[in-house]
Amino acid sequence: MGQDGTSTDVVQVQDVTRSFGDLQAVAGVSLRIAPGETYGLLGPNGAGKTTTISMIAGLLEPDSGTVQLCGEPMGPRHTKIRSRLGLVPQDLALYPDLKGRENLNYFGALQNLRGKELRARVDEVLEVVGLADRAKDPVKEYSGGMKRRLNIAAGLLHRPALLILDEPTVGVDPQSRNAILESVEALSGEGMAVLYTTHYMEEAERLCDRIGIIDSGRVQAEGTRDELIHLVGELDQVRMDGTGDLTAATDALQQVPGVQRVDPVGGGLVCAVADAPVHLAAIVTAASAHLELSDVEITRPDLEQVFLHLTGKELRD
Amino acid sequence: MRALLTMTAVDLRRRLRDKSVLIFSLAVPLALMTVLNLLLGGVSEGDLEPVDLAVSSDADDQLAGVVVDALASTGIVDVTVTDSDDPHADVGAGSADLGMVVPSGFTAALTSGEPAPVQFVMGDGAGLSGQVLVTVAQGVVEQLRGASVAAVAAGAAGLEPDRASQLAQQVLDAQAQVQLTQGEASSEQLSTGGMLIAGQAGLFLMFTVGFGVLGLIAEREEGTLVRLRSMPVRSSTIVAAKALTAFVLGVVATGVLLTVGSVLFDVDFGAVPAVAVLVVAAVLAATSLTFVVVRLARTAEQANVVQSIIALVLGMSGGAFFPITATGLVGTIVDLNPIAAFTRGLGITSGGGGLDAIGLPVAIMLGFAAVCLLLSRLIPNRGVAA
């Protein structure tokens, strides 16, 4: 892995900035992605995700800072290196009047694939996204999910070193979404670096080896899921419903090792604890001494809570 | 180069597949040509119609004979002269198109300086030919009056009759040097049918090339421009592919329109190489204009509106719907219109002109292209940047 900035990193983004007039969209973003790594870039709308992706994809020139793909400079003027990039834009980038296979033939040809190699790659990616049997149909006859899958296939044709997936599952049915996520997992397993943006936290938790949370044009935090949760100090929550002496139960729970806070909620109590499964037995024992418990529930912090903690916004804002 | 050809080939395939280019570039202009030719084709062209002229004059009146001979030999109107006792009646009965009454004592009156009014009776069938003959007759009478006045003046000045007669003859000879000949208003003038074919081809060329370059905006709206720009293809290649698509569509559509139009409406546009050069120059001018439109428009809808307005203005002022004649500043502006230049160039080639004769219209069209390309670089981009 290249988390420390080794020469094996597929992408190296170093302190890039970009402004549009008075608006500074990106105020110094740095990130690295290693081969086989899936990096999730999460942020609320207007956080600078799209501008960052545009600079990584070579569509925009940074005002300052550098972007390197496979060790070579990346930007609007660097044409050849783009053959190592596969971009799956958020908006569908397909010709609806062309057939599925014709779309792929066209994009493959522009990626310098020819003849048998092109045909083989087209067949292969059609299988990967599950559209082999609809390849001869015009794209305008596809469902939304099928278009999304073909959109991804077009980015995979040339086996890019980096695949950028910008919210690839927006508006797709659960079946297509699952197919897309499985495809991404398979690609990552084959050694492809993936930069993934999404508004669905469960996708990020399932797919991403590391996650960067971006807001106000800066990466506010970066790491694995557990690292991020630990970083922001989020605690497990143990909720206990029951009847009895809540005050005495609170006093008893505050003596249990690991319990950092006890709050009354509704007719029960909620304990904030560092590692709930480890301390659960002691917590229930202490509470049972003063309460007749009717329900116990553990809630572990997730990325949604981390995101809210870091940005003050819901991910879907 | 391979990417350029690949993109152009796919663009052309898409354009042909959706059939809109076939409709707007071929079917509609051909239909319009047909309708406009039916409406305007017979109105303003063709030879002057023959005229039956009934003449009443004294048989032994010399100068009356001169007038009649002058009308019979204008060279532009085929005149059949018949003697008549009553031209009014003949014209009224339809046996003559035009009647001429030369007063008795016509020669004597002219030579003495007395008024000698010649009367004309215009029939329904006289038309433009009749008006031409009346004008010619008036001119001849004025010539005769001038010669007679010269003779009378010479006599009054005491010259010998023979010398006075010579002077009068000199006056007549001098007048005779001004002759009527049928000719074209301009060596660059197409027939009405040819004008409409050329104008319609030029007008719809403006729409046809829009299927190419304006496709850049459609690519942006379809989202495919972002994907293309993320590929190992230069931005200039993307733009060039659109321009090449426009060029191919423009050349083919205009070539087909001129060919089909010339066959359907019996118009000969002249030497193929010269016509081909004109077509290429016109397509370049039209294509370059779309680069300006791409800069001005934010959406495909805006681009189509702007393109349509420009096409109609250039088309109408270029003679796409009816022949345009203008002088002064307006005339100069019209002359710089690429469609007008294209039409004028075809007029030259249809009149027998070759490559060496079409330099000016070609220069105008290429100059227009150069100005548009320059403008497209200077105008701030409001729409799509490839």
Side-chain angles (χ1 to χ4, degrees), chain A residues 232-254:
Chain A
V232 300
E234 289 290 339
L235 300 171
D236 294 350
Q237 310 277 318
V238 179
R239 177 175 179 140
M240 292 163 288
D241 292 330
T243 56
D245 187 346
L246 289 178
T247 305
T250 300
D251 292 341
L253 286 168
Q254 284 174 338

Side-chain angles (χ1 to χ4, degrees), chain B residues 184-270:
Chain B
E184 295 173 346
S186 162
S187 60
E188 301 175 357
Q189 187 168 317
L190 282 164
S191 64
T192 301
M195 186 81 178
L196 289 173
I197 294 170
Q200 291 292 313
L203 167 66
F204 280 91
L205 171 61
M206 293 288 168
F207 290 105
T208 301
V209 294
F211 286 103
V213 180
L214 299 187
L216 274 174
I217 297 177
E219 294 261 14
R220 185 187 59 181
E221 292 183 347
E222 287 174 339
T224 45
L225 187 60
V226 170
R227 189 189 291 285
L228 293 179
R229 290 178 61 215
S230 73
M231 292 183 160
V233 177
R234 292 179 186 279
S235 294
S236 57
T237 304
I238 299 173
V239 176
K242 299 301 177 190
L244 184 56
T245 300
F247 182 80
V248 171
L249 289 175
V251 167
V252 171
T254 308
V256 169
L257 286 179
L258 292 183
T259 304
V260 174
S262 64
V263 171
L264 287 180
F265 308 115
D266 194 24
V267 176
D268 181 5
F269 287 112

Side-chain angles (χ1 to χ4, degrees), chain B:
Chain B
M1 177 58 82
R2 187 175 281 177
L4 173 69
L5 297 178
T6 299
M7 285 193 279
T8 304
V10 167
D11 263 357
L12 288 171
R13 185 191 300 170
R14 294 184 64 211
R15 298 283 83 82
L16 293 176
R17 192 173 283 180
D18 77 3
K19 295 185 176 56
S20 53
V21 70
L22 296 175
I23 294 170
F24 281 102
S25 303
L26 295 175
V28 173
L30 281 172
L32 267 177
M33 280 180 197
T34 304
V35 171
L36 291 173
N37 262 289
L38 288 173
L39 289 175
L40 303 175
V43 170
S44 58
E45 66 175 318
D47 294 333
L48 293 170
E49 294 293 319
V51 170
D52 288 328
L53 175 65
V55 176
S56 165
S57 63
D58 292 343
D60 55 352
D61 192 316
Q62 274 189 313
L63 292 184
V66 170
V67 174
V68 172
D69 288 345
L71 295 182
S73 59
T74 59
I76 58 170
V77 181
D78 185 9
V79 180
T80 304
V81 178
T82 54
D83 291 332
S84 170
D85 295 330
D86 188 354
H88 286 87
D90 290 342
V91 171
S95 58
D97 301 310
L98 180 67
M100 182 171 75
V101 180
V102 182
S104 183
F106 179 68
T107 299
L110 279 184
T111 53
S112 63
E114 296 295 320
V118 178
Q119 291 184 354
F120 287 94
V121 184
M122 299 284 283
D124 293 338
L128 185 59
S129 298
Q131 294 175 7
V132 169
L133 290 178
V134 170
T135 304
V136 170
Q138 288 170 340
V140 171
V141 170
E142 287 306 311
Q143 285 181 19
L144 294 174
R145 190 190 306 282
S148 300
V149 168
V152 171
L159 290 179
E160 293 295 321
D162 288 347
R163 180 64 186 134
S165 177
Q166 286 175 357
L167 277 175
Q169 190 59 49
Q170 284 175 1
V171 172
L172 277 175
D173 291 345
Q175 300 279 12
Q177 289 173 11
V178 180
Q179 294 180 341
L180 289 171
T181 56
Q182 184 178 18
E184 295 173 346
S186 162
S187 60
E188 301 175 357
Q189 187 168 317
L190 282 164
S191 64
T192 301
M195 186 81 178
L196 289 173
I197 294 170
Q200 291 292 313
L203 167 66
F204 280 91
L205 171 61
M206 293 288 168
F207 290 105
T208 301
V209 294
F211 286 103
V213 180
L214 299 187
L216 274 174
I217 297 177
E219 294 261 14
R220 185 187 59 181
E221 292 183 347
E222 287 174 339
T224 45
L225 187 60
V226 170
R227 189 189 291 285
L228 293 179
R229 290 178 61 215
S230 73
M231 292 183 160
V233 177
R234 292 179 186 279
S235 294
S236 57
T237 304
I238 299 173
V239 176
K242 299 301 177 190
L244 184 56
T245 300
F247 182 80
V248 171
L249 289 175
V251 167
V252 171
T254 308
V256 169
L257 286 179
L258 292 183
T259 304
V260 174
S262 64
V263 171
L264 287 180
F265 308 115
D266 194 24
V267 176
D268 181 5
F269 287 112
V272 172
V275 173
V277 169
L278 288 169
V279 169
V280 168
V283 173
L284 288 175
T287 303
S288 66
L289 182 61
T290 61
F291 283 105
V292 178
V293 176
V294 163
R295 286 274 171 172
L296 292 173
R298 292 183 194 277
T299 65
E301 188 177 9
Q302 276 185 7
N304 286 330
V305 169
V306 172
Q307 180 77 0
S308 298
I309 292 171
I310 294 175
L312 284 172
V313 169
L314 291 179
M316 290 181 74
S317 60
F321 295 103
F322 39 79
I324 294 285
T325 53
T327 57
L329 179 61
V330 176
T332 304
I333 293 172
V334 168
D335 284 345
L336 296 177
N337 176 343
I339 295 179
F342 177 60
T343 306
R344 192 160 55 253
L346 288 175
I348 294 172
T349 56
S350 71
L355 288 170
D356 55 338
I358 56 173
L360 181 59
V362 169
I364 288 173
M365 288 186 278
L366 295 182
F368 184 91
V371 169
C372 286
L373 287 176
L374 180 63
L375 281 176
S376 72
R377 304 314 303 170
L378 296 177
I379 295 173
N381 187 24
R382 300 178 64 207
V384 57

